[in-house]
Amino acid sequence: MPADFNGTWNLVSNDNFEGYMVALGIDFATRKIAKMLKPQKVIKQEGDSFYIHTTSTFRDYTLQFKIGEEFEEDNKGLDNRKCKSLVTWENDKLVCVQTGEKKNRGWTHWLEGDDLHLELRCENQVCRQVFRRA
Ligand code: VL7
C-alpha cells in the first residue's frame, strides 16, 4: 500500500520560499504578495492518479498526473515556464522531476504523522513547506 495523501491540507510553515521564488525569476512585487499567502492543498489520489489543487487568495494551481507517465506542465500563474514532469514513488515519497530551462527543478511530497511535507527545488534553492490536515 502506498502512502495516502488524500485530504485537505493547510500551510503551517514555509522555509526559504523567497529563495525558491528568486531562483524561478519571480519579480519582487509578486514575491512580496506570494510570501504572505497561506495556501491550502486539496489532494485526490486514486491508485496511480493524482489531482493536487493548491489554492490561495492570490492564485490557484492545479496539477493532474499519473505515476510514471511524463507530462507537459505549464506552471501557469507561477513562473509560466513549460517543463516535462515525471512523478514516481521513491518508497513512500512522491518525487517529481521537472525537466526544462531550470536546472535541478522538482519537488517531493511525504507524510510525517498528520503533516504533509513538500520540498520544492530549483537550481541551488530548497524551499520546505509543511501542511497540516484541515
Ligand atoms: C506551487 C509557487 C512561486 C509564483 C504566486 C504563489 C501562489 C499558490 O507546484 C507546487 O506544488 C506541487 C506539489 O504539491 C503541485 O503542483 C507548488 C507553489 C509554488 C512558486 C511562483 C509566485 C506567485 C501559490 C498557488
Side-chain angles (χ1 to χ4, degrees):
M1 270 289 275
D4 182 2
F5 293 93
N6 278 296
T8 300
W9 306 87
N10 291 328
L11 185 82
V12 292
S13 70
N14 195 359
D15 178 51
N16 195 38
F17 190 43
E18 173 71 8
Y20 176 74
M21 288 194 290
V22 170
L24 280 177
I26 306 301
D27 68 84
F28 179 85
T30 304
R31 294 201 312 270
K32 295 305 128 193
I33 298 167
K35 70 170 132 193
M36 300 300 293
L37 302 172
K38 296 281 178 245
Q40 183 176 73
K41 275 188 200 284
V42 174
I43 303 182
K44 294 180 178 163
Q45 174 182 352
E46 266 183 46
D48 276 350
S49 296
F50 283 79
Y51 163 94
I52 303 180
H53 191 201
T54 310
T55 61
S56 75
T57 52
F58 180 50
R59 284 183 195 162
D60 295 356
Y61 189 68
T62 305
L63 192 66
Q64 277 185 275
F65 59 87
K66 282 186 180 167
I67 299 293
E69 289 186 13
E70 191 174 62
F71 60 98
E72 291 263 3
E73 187 173 5
D74 62 9
N75 295 285
K76 208 171 174 69
L78 305 179
D79 67 318
N80 295 302
R81 276 189 199 85
K82 290 186 171 57
C83 58
K84 295 226 189 213
S85 300
L86 176 66
V87 185
T88 55
W89 286 112
E90 287 187 15
N91 299 311
D92 278 344
K93 293 189 175 186
L94 211 51
V95 178
C96 180
V97 174
Q98 295 171 307
T99 305
E101 196 185 321
K102 290 290 176 183
K103 298 295 172 210
N104 192 37
R105 184 171 184 174
W107 52 260
T108 301
H109 264 303
W110 69 96
L111 298 169
E112 273 183 38
D114 236 22
D115 290 343
L116 171 73
H117 287 247
L118 173 61
E119 181 181 280
L120 294 160
R121 299 175 292 276
C122 182
E123 296 181 327
N124 61 341
Q125 296 296 312
V126 180
C127 168
R128 291 184 176 84
Q129 301 187 334
V130 181
F131 296 78
R132 203 146 289 160
R133 275 199 192 278

